[in-house]
Amino acid sequence: MFRPIRTVWPIRALILAAGLTVGCGRRELARQTWPAMGTVAGVTVPGRAENHLPAYAELARETVREMEGRLSQFNPDGVISMLNRQAGGDSVVLDPDTLHVLALSLHYARVSRGAFDPTASPLVRLWGFHGGAPRATPPTPAEIRDALSTAGYSHVVLNEETREARLALPGMKVDLGGIAKGYAVDAVSAKLKAMGATDFMVNLAGDMRCFGEPSKGKPWRIGVRNPFNTAEIVGVLHLTDGWAVSTSGHYERFVEIEGTRYAHILDPRTGYPVAGMAGVTVVATNATLSDALSTALFVLGPDQALSVLRETEGCDALFIPDRLPLELWITPELQRRFVPDRDWVDAVRVLDL
Ligand code: ADP
Ligand code: MG
């Protein structure tokens, strides 16, 4: 779930601040980063709060490690591995965090009508997104049918009262890779707030959450990368008050089979990797929601996503279709938080929600 396909660090959005480079005088922002969940985690605070940073980063590191241990399907001792091993058999009692993430992932699976599916793992594995040697040829339709027959969120049986979970089909597997990083960001945020932190940003590569202000009267500024030229940004998001942002893109994690690139997000309804989207950025009131929905909306694309966006409170999106010239499709409310780069002002289109 958290294994990087390549050894790149998939930072899909970047924090914009001159102060990030160590230089003369007091730094505007202070940041600590460390490798976690197959990517890079980080905590950023205003320069004036730099003395708190080591304690914040330590708590964040511990929390992320704990979440990874619980939620990763690659930890053989974790509860998700146990659940997966027992697929088709007995139920497993989950700890409260895992129960909560699994319940939320089933909720988003229903909301997105299966575009987000925490049981897409056999497909993810079939296409070679779990690492190892790349496939020489794409899977055959028979292999895809086979993998689809062991997937489907409706076969996850969850009893929230007894905290028991069971996978009804033998060979089924739960993969929380599309939501766990967001959940970990929320868990870190809650702990930092409980510790008294007011102005900070938590970052797990493509998933971030911002509180307070980096400097008086200023929001946190998060750059959204251009999927066609990742050295460049298409615009800046202005976030504060606990808002979160997640990006799912076709440009950081992919496999190449017979010269064709396949993005690491699968359409669980067809069994094929998603084609047509270059990037989807979701801004939401928490990072679990932004993470799950960025994956779901990447599958759905702007047209099919409209009903999901209408039904989901506290959630806005920016879609970049996989075609040139570049287009930036945004939800109406996002106009308040997204400032396109000068070069891309004319590329903005507002969705009719
Ligand atoms: P990343 O993990 O790169 O941040 P996402 O948050 O979009 O990107 O999640 C992608 C991961 O989610 C994949 O690596 C895979 O483990 C899993 N996944 C792939 N397709 C789906 C899907 N349709 N629904 C839920 N999870 C998925
Ligand atoms: Mg996601």
Side-chain angles (χ1 to χ4, degrees), residues 12 115-117 175 177-178 181 248 253 264-266 268 291 295:
R12 274 150 293 183
F116 181 89
D117 191 328
D175 165 13
K181 285 198 265 94
S248 293
R253 299 220 276 168
H264 72 305
I265 297 177
L266 272 298
D291 190 7
T295 309

Side-chain angles (χ1 to χ4, degrees), residues 38 44 47 52 57 96 99 107 114 157 169 257 274 282-283 292 294 296 315 328:
T44 307
H52 295 297
L99 175 77
H107 170 72
V157 186
L169 305 175
I257 308 173
V274 174
V282 171
V283 171
S294 72
C315 175
L328 300 168

Side-chain angles (χ1 to χ4, degrees), residues 82-343:
M82 202 189 301
L83 181 66
N84 289 345
R85 274 197 299 271
Q86 289 188 195
D90 292 339
S91 50
V92 167
V93 178
L94 306 179
D95 60 89
D97 271 312
T98 311
L99 175 77
H100 194 191
V101 192
L102 190 56
L104 284 169
S105 68
L106 295 176
H107 170 72
Y108 295 126
R110 286 188 288 269
V111 167
S112 68
R113 292 158 192 96
F116 181 89
D117 191 328
T119 69
S121 187
L123 297 162
V124 174
R125 188 175 297 267
L126 179 66
W127 282 90
F129 294 116
H130 277 167
R135 295 184 61 104
T137 53
T140 62
E143 284 177 304
I144 290 175
R145 269 198 308 276
D146 229 38
L148 279 172
S149 72
T150 57
Y153 67 94
S154 59
H155 303 291
V156 180
V157 186
L158 195 63
N159 183 334
E160 298 204 36
E161 306 251 297
T162 61
R163 302 215 315 255
E164 283 172 302
R166 195 168 69 81
L167 305 183
L169 305 175
M172 250 183 111
K173 285 196 174 7
V174 162
D175 165 13
L176 298 172
I179 191 169
K181 285 198 265 94
Y183 190 81
V185 166
D186 286 342
V188 170
S189 302
K191 288 204 175 172
L192 292 182
K193 283 200 83 82
M195 195 179 181
T198 51
D199 305 289
F200 63 91
M201 197 198 69
V202 181
N203 182 2
L204 251 173
D207 304 287
M208 308 180 184
R209 196 162 174 201
C210 307
F211 289 86
E213 318 173 319
S215 57
K216 195 121 190 70
K218 296 260 170 66
W220 292 91
R221 300 174 70 233
I222 315 283
V224 179
R225 280 195 200 279
N226 179 346
F228 304 104
N229 173 10
T230 52
E232 190 184 275
I233 60 162
V234 292
V236 178
L237 289 163
H238 289 190
L239 301 183
T240 184
D241 299 331
W243 279 81
V245 56
S246 296
T247 296
S248 293
H250 76 349
Y251 46 95
E252 293 284 6
R253 299 220 276 168
F254 54 83
V255 291
E256 218 166 289
I257 308 173
E258 291 179 335
T260 304
R261 271 189 184 198
Y262 295 96
H264 72 305
I265 297 177
L266 272 298
D267 186 336
R269 303 164 304 178
T270 63
Y272 284 82
V274 174
M277 290 310 299
V280 174
T281 296
V282 171
V283 171
T285 47
N286 65 72
T288 311
L289 174 60
S290 61
D291 190 7
L293 276 215
S294 72
T295 309
L297 301 191
F298 191 87
V299 174
L300 292 170
D303 297 336
Q304 291 182 57
L306 291 183
S307 57
V308 177
L309 284 163
R310 279 187 203 116
E311 287 164 26
T312 313
E313 289 268 309
C315 175
D316 281 292
L318 180 159
F319 297 85
I320 306 181
D322 191 12
R323 59 177 179 243
L324 292 171
L326 182 144
E327 296 156 40
L328 300 168
W329 288 90
I330 63 173
T331 49
E333 281 290 299
L334 200 65
Q335 292 176 93
R336 294 193 296 134
R337 299 181 203 282
F338 178 68
V339 182
D341 187 85
R342 247 203 338 234
D343 293 344

